[in-house]
C-alpha cells in the first residue's frame, strides 16, 4: 500500500471552514432572559423572573464553545438577581395570572 | 357595626343577659396571659354578636379571626364600662377598669404579613414546580452532553487508525502556532486524542496532508440532546445524528462538474437551497435507472458523470447500509447556500483580499466582494451519513461497528473523484459553456450593483451639498447653486435629445 500522506500539503484549520447553520437560539435566549429580567424587576412580576432564569439556562445549553462565557454568565446573574429581588419585595407565593 | 348590633340587643334580647354571664365564666379561666386582651375583646364582641342571633360557633373563631383579620375594632366606651364592673370584679389578674378601657381604646390590631401565617411552604407550589422543571432541565443537560461526548469519542476511536494512515495532520484546532514542535504537543493532545468540541452537539476533526486533496473536515452534528426542547423536537421530527465529510480539492485535482446524489427528502431541499445545484443542474432524476433504490434522486450537470461516480462500490454500500447515506454532493463551483449568499463569502481557493468568516456579513465585506470580479468558489466533495441504530442494537454499538466502513467509503470516493477526467470532448465544452454563462451573469450582477451604489453615493453627495447651501442662508449662493443644478439637468437631458434627432434623420 502506497503511503498517501504528504506533509508538504498540510493546511491549517480555519474556523470559517465549518458549514454555517442558522442557529440563533442562544442569541434569542440571551435577549429573552434580559428582557424578562428587566420586566420582573420593573413591574415586580414573579413569573417573569422565573422565565428569565429558564431562558438563561436554555441559552447556556445551546451556546457554542467559541461564544464568550461572560455573556452567558451575566445573563444567569441578572436572572437570578431578578428572582431574588422580586421575592424580597413581595414574599407572597407566585400566582400565575391566567390560571387563577 | 357595633352600634347597630347594640341597638338590636337593647330592644329585643335583654332576656339573654343572664346566659351571657355563665358563658363568660366558663371561658375566662382557660385564658392564658397572652390571650387576655384578645379574649376580653372577644367577650365584648360576644355580648353583642351573640345577641345578634348569629351562631355561637363564630365566638370560637373570633380569637383566630382577631389575629388574622385586618379589621380594627372600634369600641364604644359607654356600654363597656357597665359590663366591665359586673364581670371583672372577682379576678385579680385583670388590670383596673380605667386602665383596661384606655388600653382597649388604644388597641389596634395590626396586619400580620401573609407569609407568617400558617402553611408556610405548601403555599409555594408554583415555585416548587418551577424549581423541579429547572432541575429536570439541568439533569437532562448533563445526561445529553455526556451521551454526545461518548458517541463522539467512539466515532473518533473507530476512525483514528485509518485517518493516521492517510493524513499527515489529524486534528487541528487552528490555534496552536506550530504543529510539529514537542512543546505544543501538550496543547495538541486535547485535539489529537479526541475531536474538537465546537458546541455540545457539534464535534469537528480537521485532517490535512494527503495526495490529491487539500484537507478534509469531519463534522459530527448530533441531535441537541443537552437541550430538553430540542431532543423532544428531534423525536417528533425524526432527526438523526449526522456525520458530514467535507473534502476540499485544489484546482488541478478535480474535473469541472456538478453532481449530487441524495435521498428524496433532502434532494428537493438541496436543489432549492444550494447555489451551484440550482444554477447548473436543471432537473432531478430518479436513481432507479442506476440500480439504486427509488429512495434516491440524482442531480447531474454532465451526463457521463453519474455512471462513473455511481459504481458498484456505491451501490453495494447503499445496499449494505440502506439508511446511512444521506447525500453526496460534488461540485467545483461550490458557493454555499442561497439565503446566506448575500452576506457569505466562503473562503475561496482563488486569492481574495478579505478572508473573513462567512457568517458575519457587513456592508464593508459586501463592498469588498463587489470589488473582486472573481466569484469565490470551492471545489468540494461533501458526503453526509446518518447515524442510526441498526438491527435493534443501540446507537453506541452501531457506531462502533460502522465508523471505519464509512471512512473507507469516503476514501474510495476521494480517489474516484480525483482520478476522473472527461472522456468526451462534448462534456468538456458543455461544462465550459455553462460556467461562462454563470460567470457572465455574475459579472452583470456585480456591475449593476456597483452602478446602483455609485448612483446612491452621487445622490447623497448632492443632498449634502444642498443642505449645506440651504443652511448657509446666503441667497446669492443659493441662487448660484440652483443655476448650476439646472444646467446639470439640461446637460443630462440633451444627449438623449440629440440621439433622437440623429435617428429621425
Amino acid at each position: 500500500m502506497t503511503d498517501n500522506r504528504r506533509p508538504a500539503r498540510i493546511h491549517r484549520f480555519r474556523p470559517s471552514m465549518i458549514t454555517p447553520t442558522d442557529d440563533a437560539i442562544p442569541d434569542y435566549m440571551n435577549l429573552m432572559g434580559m428582557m424578562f429580567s428587566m420586566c420582573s424587576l420593573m413591574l415586580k412580576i414573579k413569573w417573569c423572573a422565573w422565565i428569565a432564569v429558564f431562558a438563561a439556562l436554555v441559552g447556556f445549553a445551546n451556546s457554542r464553545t467559541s461564544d464568550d462565557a461572560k455573556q452567558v454568565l451575566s445573563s444567569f446573574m441578572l436572572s437570578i438577581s431578578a428572582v431574588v429581588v422580586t421575592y424580597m419585595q413581595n414574599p407572597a407565593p407566585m400566582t400565575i395570572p391566567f390560571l387563577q | 357595626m357595633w352600634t347597630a348590633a347594640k341597638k338590636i340587643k337593647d330592644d329585643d334580647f335583654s332576656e339573654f343577659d343572664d346566659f351571657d354571664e355563665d358563658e363568660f365564666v366558663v371561658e375566662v379561666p382557660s385564658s392564658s396571659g397572652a390571650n387576655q386582651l384578645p379574649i376580653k375583646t372577644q367577650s365584648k364582641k360576644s355580648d353583642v354578636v351573640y345577641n345578634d342571633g348569629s351562631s355561637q360557633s363564630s365566638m370560637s373563631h373570633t380569637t383566630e379571626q382577631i389575629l388574622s383579620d385586618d379589621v380594627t375594632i372600634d369600641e364604644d366606651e359607654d356600654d363597656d364600662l357597665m359590663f366591665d364592673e359586673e364581670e371583672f370584679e372577682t379576678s385579680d389578674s385583670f388590670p383596673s377598669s380605667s386602665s383596661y378601657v384606655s388600653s382597649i381604646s388604644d388597641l389596634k390590631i395590626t396586619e400580620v404579613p401573609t407569609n407568617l401565617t400558617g402553611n408556610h411552604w405548601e403555599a409555594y407550589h408554583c415555585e416548587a414546580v418551577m424549581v423541579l422543571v429547572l432541575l429536570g432541565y439541568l439533569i437532562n443537560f448533563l445526561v445529553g452532553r455526556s451521551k454526545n461526548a461518548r458517541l463522539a469519542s467512539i466515532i473518533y476511536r473507530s476512525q483514528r487508525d485509518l485517518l493516521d494512515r492517510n493524513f499527515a495532520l489529524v486534528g487541528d484546532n487552528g490555534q496552536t502556532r506550530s504543529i510539529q514542535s514537542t512543546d505544543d504537543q501538550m496543547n495538541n493532545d486535547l485535539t489529537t486524542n479526541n475531536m474538537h468540541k465546537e458546541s455540545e452537539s457539534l464535534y469537528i476533526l480537521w485532517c490535512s496532508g494527503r495526495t490529491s486533496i487539500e484537507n478534509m473536515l469531519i463534522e459530527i452534528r448530533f441531535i441537541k440532546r443537552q437541550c430538553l426542547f430540542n431532543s423532544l423536537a428531534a423525536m417528533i421530527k425524526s432527526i438523526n445524528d449526522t456525520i458530514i465529510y467535507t473534502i476540499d480539492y485544489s484546482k488541478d485535482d478535480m474535473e469541472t462538474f456538478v453532481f449530487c446524489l441524495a435521498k428524496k427528502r433532502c434532494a428537493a431541499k438541496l436543489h432549492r437551497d444550494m447555489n451551484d445545484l440550482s444554477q447548473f443542474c436543471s432537473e432531478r432524476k430518479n436513481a432507479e435507472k442506476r440500480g439504486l433504490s427509488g429512495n434516491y434522486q440524482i442531480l447531474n450537470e454532465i451526463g457521463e458523470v453519474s455512471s462513473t461516480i455511481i459504481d458498484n462500490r456505491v451501490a453495494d454500500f447503499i445496499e449494505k447500509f440502506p439508511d446511512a447515506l444521506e447525500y453526496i454532493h460534488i461540485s467545483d463551483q461550490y458557493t454555499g447556500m442561497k439565503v446566506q449568499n448575500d452576506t457569505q463569502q466562503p473562503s475561496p481557493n482563488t486569492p481574495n483580499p478579505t478572508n473573513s468568516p462567512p457568517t458575519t456579513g457587513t456592508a464593508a465585506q459586501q463592498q469588498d466582494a463587489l470589488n473582486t470580479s472573481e466569484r469565490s468558489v470551492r471545489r468540494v466533495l461533501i458526503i453526509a451519513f446518518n447515524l442510526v441504530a441498526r438491527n435493534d442494537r443501540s446507537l453506541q454499538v452501531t457506531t462502533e461497528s460502522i465508523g471505519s466502513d464509512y471512512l473507507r467509503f469516503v476514501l474510495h470516493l476521494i480517489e474516484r473523484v480525483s482520478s476522473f477526467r472527461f472522456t468526451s470532448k462534448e462534456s468538456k465544452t458543455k461544462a465550459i459553456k455553462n460556467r461562462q454563462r454563470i460567470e457572465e451573469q455574475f459579472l452583470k450582477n456585480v456591475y449593476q450593483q456597483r452602478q446602483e451604489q455609485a448612483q446612491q453615493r452621487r445622490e447623497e453627495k448632492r443632498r449634502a451639498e444642498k443642505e449645506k447651501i440651504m443652511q448657509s442662508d446666503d441667497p446669492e449662493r443659493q441662487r448660484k447653486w440652483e443655476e448650476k443644478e439646472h444646467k446639470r439637468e439640461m446637460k443630462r437631458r440633451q444627449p438623449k435629445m440629440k440621439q433622437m434627432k440623429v435617428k429621425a434623420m
Side-chain angles (χ1 to χ4, degrees):
Chain A
M1 285 282 284
T2 52
D3 189 7
N4 287 319
R5 289 181 290 185
R6 296 287 180 271
R9 290 188 72 161
I10 286 180
H11 298 262
R12 296 302 304 274
F13 170 67
R14 289 187 304 271
S16 55
M17 303 294 277
I18 302 176
T19 324
T21 47
D22 43 349
D23 181 25
I25 288 183
D27 304 321
Y28 279 141
M29 286 296 140
N30 265 333
L31 189 66
M32 240 178 80
M34 280 190 250
M35 265 173 51
F36 275 105
S37 305
M38 298 317 294
C39 206
S40 77
L41 284 170
M42 306 288 180
L43 306 174
K44 301 182 188 175
I45 303 174
K46 291 199 175 74
W47 52 266
C48 279
W50 285 109
I51 292 179
V53 175
F54 208 58
L57 192 57
V58 174
F60 162 70
N62 285 293
S63 65
R64 288 151 235 138
T65 321
S66 51
D67 277 352
D68 211 1
K70 284 181 245 164
Q71 190 172 12
V72 171
L73 204 62
S74 72
S75 191
F76 255 121
M77 292 285 116
L78 184 62
S79 55
I80 290 174
S81 67
V83 169
V84 168
V85 167
T86 319
Y87 273 91
M88 273 170 54
Q89 286 172 345
N90 178 12
M94 174 167 69
T95 56
I96 302 177
F98 30 83
L99 286 183
Q100 276 150 16
Chain B
M1 208 169 88
W2 276 110
T3 49
K6 285 214 178 92
K7 277 179 196 157
I8 300 166
K9 172 251 167 190
D10 286 337
D11 296 333
D12 298 334
F13 299 99
S14 48
E15 71 232 42
F16 289 99
D17 278 349
D18 293 337
F19 198 64
D20 270 352
E21 287 177 8
D22 289 341
E23 278 291 307
F24 187 70
V25 166
V26 166
E27 282 178 341
V28 160
S30 63
S31 68
S32 61
N35 286 342
Q36 267 183 21
L37 286 176
I39 285 188
K40 279 168 204 157
T41 54
Q42 174 202 337
S43 66
K44 294 297 143 226
K45 231 180 164 180
S46 67
D47 286 334
V48 179
V49 168
Y50 177 77
N51 294 329
D52 268 343
S54 58
S55 64
Q56 289 190 18
S57 58
S58 69
M59 283 193 283
S60 58
H61 290 303
T62 43
T63 33
E64 287 186 352
Q65 276 180 9
I66 288 164
L67 283 171
S68 56
D69 280 353
D70 294 338
V71 176
T72 55
I73 301 167
D74 292 324
E75 308 279 335
D76 195 344
E77 286 181 41
D78 297 331
D79 287 330
D80 287 344
L81 270 169
M82 252 174 27
F83 286 98
D84 274 345
E85 285 159 20
E86 276 180 358
E87 288 163 5
F88 294 95
E89 273 173 355
T90 50
S91 175
D92 291 331
S93 58
F94 294 144
S96 63
S97 49
S98 55
S99 62
Y100 170 70
V101 166
S102 56
S103 62
I104 287 287
S105 60
D106 291 337
L107 189 71
K108 273 206 175 72
I109 308 294
T110 53
E111 284 184 40
V112 178
T114 43
N115 67 333
L116 295 182
T117 56
N119 302 332
H120 292 271
W121 298 110
E122 287 90 3
Y124 291 89
H125 45 263
C126 281
E127 281 82 357
V129 167
M130 283 304 295
V131 169
L132 283 173
V133 169
L134 284 170
L135 279 175
Y137 188 91
L138 203 59
I139 291 170
N140 173 266
F141 168 77
L142 296 169
V143 167
R145 178 171 78 157
S146 65
K147 183 160 187 199
N148 279 353
R150 222 175 318 135
L151 279 171
S153 67
I154 289 173
I155 292 171
Y156 179 75
R157 269 186 279 122
S158 66
Q159 300 190 345
R160 173 72 191 269
D161 289 333
L162 199 53
L163 285 171
D164 275 338
R165 272 183 273 143
N166 276 283
F167 291 91
L169 168 67
V170 174
D172 181 19
N173 57 8
Q175 284 161 13
T176 54
R177 242 180 292 151
S178 153
I179 322 161
Q180 304 297 334
S181 73
T182 47
D183 289 336
D184 289 334
Q185 202 65 37
M186 296 305 287
N187 289 335
N188 264 337
D189 265 350
L190 292 167
T191 53
T192 49
N193 286 339
N194 207 339
M195 310 196 73
H196 177 59
K197 188 163 90 164
E198 267 297 305
S199 86
E200 304 296 346
S201 58
L202 173 60
Y203 287 79
I204 60 167
L205 190 66
W206 176 260
C207 308
S208 188
R210 192 186 191 275
T211 52
S212 69
I213 64 173
E214 293 203 336
N215 47 60
M216 177 167 85
L217 179 67
I218 308 177
E219 292 168 292
I220 309 184
R221 293 182 181 271
F222 290 114
I223 306 167
K224 288 194 175 184
R225 290 187 178 83
Q226 75 273 13
C227 177
L228 194 61
F229 304 117
N230 279 95
S231 41
L232 291 172
M235 267 194 271
I236 296 168
K237 282 196 250 176
S238 68
I239 299 173
N240 296 314
D241 303 319
T242 48
I243 306 183
I244 304 175
Y245 294 84
T246 308
I247 296 113
D248 278 89
Y249 288 88
S250 59
K251 200 169 179 188
D252 307 317
D253 287 328
M254 186 176 150
E255 189 60 273
T256 54
F257 63 92
V258 174
F259 172 83
C260 181
L261 168 71
K263 276 217 162 131
K264 257 194 189 149
R265 66 181 172 200
C266 65
K269 213 166 40 136
L270 287 170
H271 197 191
R272 187 187 59 222
D273 291 336
M274 289 291 174
N275 265 323
D276 49 352
L277 290 175
S278 59
Q279 285 168 349
F280 290 93
C281 304
S282 47
E283 54 174 8
R284 296 197 305 270
K285 289 188 213 138
N286 217 314
E288 272 166 344
K289 297 175 197 165
R290 297 281 166 205
L292 304 174
S293 73
N295 220 356
Y296 286 90
Q297 287 187 334
I298 298 177
L299 291 102
N300 199 3
E301 183 199 2
I302 313 286
E304 63 172 288
V305 168
S306 55
S307 50
T308 323
I309 300 294
I310 304 178
D311 55 355
N312 290 329
R313 185 74 190 267
V314 174
D316 288 341
F317 182 85
I318 292 177
E319 219 179 286
K320 193 174 168 197
F321 304 105
D323 285 322
L325 184 64
E326 186 70 16
Y327 64 84
I328 301 174
H329 180 186
I330 313 174
S331 170
D332 75 313
Q333 300 280 312
Y334 182 75
T335 46
M337 293 180 73
K338 255 187 195 167
V339 178
Q340 295 171 351
N341 205 34
D342 289 336
T343 53
Q344 171 184 334
Q345 290 294 328
S347 43
N349 288 340
T350 56
N352 191 349
T354 57
N355 205 7
S356 45
T359 47
T360 58
T362 62
Q365 285 173 8
Q366 285 186 38
Q367 186 59 44
D368 289 335
L370 289 175
N371 287 339
T372 63
S373 54
E374 278 186 64
R375 289 162 62 225
S376 51
V377 294
R378 285 167 70 185
R379 290 157 192 82
V380 291
L381 160 66
I382 305 176
I383 311 173
F385 295 102
N386 288 319
L387 281 174
V388 263
R390 290 175 65 226
N391 300 337
D392 293 332
R393 295 172 177 177
S394 79
L395 187 57
Q396 283 187 24
V397 175
T398 313
T399 316
E400 265 174 321
S401 52
I402 47 91
S404 53
D405 289 329
Y406 287 2
L407 186 57
R408 268 189 225 107
F409 179 72
V410 168
L411 291 170
H412 162 80
L413 263 183
I414 289 175
E415 291 297 329
R416 196 114 183 113
V417 168
S418 70
S419 62
F420 169 72
R421 294 290 179 269
F422 286 135
T423 48
S424 67
K425 268 193 179 168
E426 289 99 30
S427 313
K428 189 75 192 172
T429 47
K430 186 177 174 191
I432 293 173
K433 217 169 60 176
N434 285 341
R435 275 145 192 75
Q436 270 178 0
R437 175 174 52 94
I438 299 295
E439 189 76 23
E440 277 171 19
Q441 264 180 25
F442 171 76
L443 286 173
K444 221 162 79 176
N445 274 339
V446 168
Y447 181 67
Q448 257 180 17
Q449 284 183 15
R450 273 195 213 155
Q451 284 230 315
E452 276 172 27
Q453 281 189 356
Q455 180 80 8
Q456 271 180 10
R457 258 183 262 134
R458 251 181 275 141
E459 279 197 32
E460 274 183 35
K461 227 168 82 179
R462 210 165 287 160
R463 223 177 292 147
E465 263 186 50
K466 191 173 179 184
E467 273 187 42
K468 225 172 68 179
I469 301 273
M470 292 304 181
Q471 281 173 10
S472 65
D473 281 343
D474 188 1
E476 260 307 303
R477 280 177 77 183
Q478 282 185 16
R479 200 170 43 83
K480 275 188 191 164
W481 187 82
E482 277 178 22
E483 275 182 27
K484 230 174 40 177
E485 272 296 301
H486 186 69
K487 274 187 195 164
R488 228 180 278 168
E489 292 268 319
M490 293 305 289
K491 223 179 171 182
R492 241 192 294 148
R493 283 185 205 151
Q494 266 189 356
K496 289 182 188 167
M497 284 166 61
K498 275 187 185 165
Q499 281 176 13
M500 282 171 65
K501 275 184 187 170
V502 168
K503 279 182 184 171
M505 275 162 45

